[in-house]
Amino acid sequence: QSDALYQYILEASVYPREHEAMKELRELTAKHPWNIMTTSADEGQFLNMLIKLINAKNTMEIGVYTGYSLLATALALPEDGKILAMDINRENYELGLPVIKKAGLEHKIEFREGPALPVLDELVKDEKNHGSFDFIFVDADKDNYLNYHKRLIDLVKVGGLIGYDNTLWNGSVVAPHDAPLRKYVRYYRDFVLELNKALGVDPRIEICMLPVGDGITLCRRIK
């Protein structure tokens, strides 16, 4: 509701409990020119607890950037937990990799550089992968969110969760059509609106949209 209230949440709840590695990576990422792409600290804390609550073990992340949300996931998973992580830019991932290695978590991560759709298509082809993921987090190219969803719904287990990030898209989802928006915000807004509309009527999932970070919509597969 206000910057002051958000700062209170961070100082009262997030920062006192933030893992040392999470703090190190957050501060490192803040110096990157595209730091706006990172997962917020409160959302990192939320993902960490969520993964523990559902006892996730086999997970996927599409869109890694420097790995802040990836690190939150890796910290929450059991020792033999796994994350299939995909991003088109390995260079950004390697900025955070030393922090991940220092925390002793690299063995949980299988990183693949390149577009996610071809990887997902290969996974879907093999029926043994259907229903094999407990949790999937998507924070990548918004114009492909619906394409991801078409594939991920087969890969996540019944009762498992898919989290779509940025579903409030800088608040632009409620901005007037002719509102002055940054170019990239305007470009992706219609894709986000289309996703939100589709998720709202998808009978295969239950959904919950949360105003955490830039908005995250959780989808629980029910059939």
Side-chain angles (χ1 to χ4, degrees):
Q1 296 179 31
S2 70
D3 290 342
L5 187 58
Y6 179 60
Q7 193 62 33
Y8 174 80
I9 292 170
L10 293 175
E11 292 177 1
S13 172
V14 181
Y15 294 157
R17 299 292 187 122
E18 190 175 34
H19 191 281
E20 184 179 326
M22 294 287 287
K23 179 181 180 182
E24 183 178 353
L25 184 50
R26 175 171 57 82
E27 292 177 346
L28 177 71
T29 304
K31 299 172 185 175
H32 192 272
W34 285 95
N35 58 58
I36 193 172
M37 290 167 54
T38 193
T39 300
S40 64
D42 56 324
E43 188 172 1
Q45 185 185 57
F46 171 71
L47 291 173
N48 182 274
M49 179 173 283
L50 183 66
I51 287 160
K52 291 173 181 173
L53 285 171
I54 65 172
N55 295 311
K57 190 171 181 179
N58 190 37
T59 73
M60 182 193 301
E61 181 160 330
I62 301 174
V64 173
Y65 187 42
T66 61
Y68 188 77
S69 55
L70 187 65
L71 179 57
T73 300
L75 285 165
L77 290 174
E79 187 61 23
D80 59 345
K82 296 295 179 186
I83 313 166
L84 173 59
M86 292 173 270
D87 200 288
I88 58 171
N89 190 323
R90 187 179 182 93
E91 187 177 340
N92 288 336
Y93 168 63
E94 288 184 345
L95 284 174
L97 189 54
V99 180
I100 292 170
K101 286 181 176 179
K102 188 165 69 172
L105 298 168
E106 187 187 14
H107 68 283
K108 297 182 182 181
I109 300 166
E110 178 189 347
F111 181 85
R112 297 196 194 181
E113 182 180 19
L117 287 175
V119 178
L120 297 179
D121 285 338
E122 283 300 312
L123 289 172
V124 171
K125 278 182 187 176
D126 189 342
E127 288 203 6
K128 74 178 183 182
N129 295 317
H130 289 202
S132 65
F133 288 89
D134 305 309
F135 178 75
I136 300 171
F137 183 59
V138 185
D139 183 10
D141 45 333
K142 317 308 167 195
D143 44 346
N144 266 320
Y145 268 27
L146 271 178
N147 290 325
Y148 294 143
H149 186 67
K150 289 172 186 175
R151 294 153 173 83
L152 298 179
I153 199 70
D154 288 330
L155 297 173
V156 72
K157 72 180 184 181
V158 173
L161 293 177
I162 307 171
Y164 291 102
D165 202 20
N166 305 112
T167 51
L168 296 179
W169 198 230
N170 290 253
S172 68
V173 290
V174 293
H177 190 72
D178 58 351
L181 300 172
R182 282 171 289 181
K183 188 176 180 180
Y184 82 95
V185 173
R186 179 173 297 282
Y187 175 75
Y188 287 113
R189 175 175 63 172
D190 287 346
F191 293 108
V192 174
L193 287 168
E194 185 182 17
L195 171 80
N196 291 342
K197 185 177 180 180
L199 296 181
V201 296
D202 190 335
R204 301 167 296 180
I205 55 175
E206 296 173 331
I207 67 169
C208 178
M209 180 185 281
L210 299 168
V212 177
D214 189 30
I216 178 172
T217 300
L218 296 179
C219 307
R220 178 176 177 266
R221 183 182 174 190
I222 55 175
K223 61 182 179 181

